[in-house]
Amino acid sequence: MKRNRITLTGIALVAALGLAGCGGGGGSYGGGSDGGGSDTPAAADTSTVKVSDSRLGDILVDGGGRTLYLFTADGKNTNSMKCDTACLKLWPPLEGKPKAGSGADAGLIGTTKGSAPQATYAGHPLYYYAKDKAPGDLKGQGIDGIWYVLNAKGTAMKQAAPSTDSDGDSGYGY
């Protein structure tokens, strides 16, 4: 009877390829890790986009208060994101067309083109950061210098999020 053997080289190659799909360098986008556990993030309320006060000032959030982000490499109003399956698990899109809530400009809300429309604001496709655990979390802010929260005008807010965490987590998502 012949048995299949898995070599350490083969295991290392598979591990390296798996990590490359969502790493911070190279040709793919969306890397970054906060070193946190795998706790389930707060439930999304995709029916509304509104403005909420945060440590960065007024930012866009969904109806449940979850922070929304833009990806600076996205084209406006397109499905142009170069993100694989692992990356999309970390940066899930806000799908559909939400209504404007408090402080949001209804004229700036739209969707991407294509068969699975993604919500946009001022032309920027909107994303969640999966490691934001509670409404108001800003752990995705500034990751890889390409992920940022948006203000009420739909502009990326590129300042660093001040930390208020008592566990030593910087709050940046790294």
Side-chain angles (χ1 to χ4, degrees):
M1 178 194 249
K2 194 174 189 181
R3 292 186 179 195
N4 290 332
R5 295 178 55 173
I6 299 175
T7 66
L8 288 178
T9 304
I11 292 171
L13 178 61
V14 169
L17 289 173
L19 290 174
C22 208
S28 65
Y29 299 107
S33 170
D34 70 355
S38 60
D39 297 340
T40 303
D45 176 356
T46 62
S47 65
T48 307
V49 169
K50 62 184 182 178
V51 175
S52 180
D53 185 44
S54 77
R55 297 185 317 263
L56 292 172
D58 289 340
I59 63 168
L60 288 184
V61 298
D62 73 0
R66 286 198 59 205
T67 303
L68 296 169
Y69 297 88
L70 65 77
F71 176 56
T72 57
D74 272 345
K76 286 198 171 194
N77 297 315
T78 66
N79 293 325
S80 66
M81 185 176 185
K82 294 168 181 63
C83 192
D84 63 17
T85 303
C87 179
L88 287 172
K89 283 183 182 179
L90 194 58
W91 295 100
L94 173 61
E95 297 175 341
K97 185 172 181 181
K99 295 178 181 162
S102 176
D105 183 339
L108 296 179
I109 296 175
T111 60
T112 57
K113 300 171 182 113
S115 60
Q118 180 178 350
T120 63
Y121 194 84
H124 300 288
L126 300 174
Y127 301 89
Y128 293 103
Y129 183 52
K131 294 185 180 186
D132 281 350
K133 305 295 184 220
D137 280 355
L138 299 167
K139 292 180 180 179
Q141 175 65 1
I143 288 186
D144 293 339
I146 55 177
W147 294 97
Y148 298 101
V149 299
L150 298 86
N151 63 21
K153 293 180 181 179
T155 304
M157 298 177 68
K158 295 189 176 182
Q159 68 268 32
S163 178
T164 61
D165 296 341
S166 60
D167 63 359
D169 183 354
S170 68
Y172 298 128
Y174 298 105

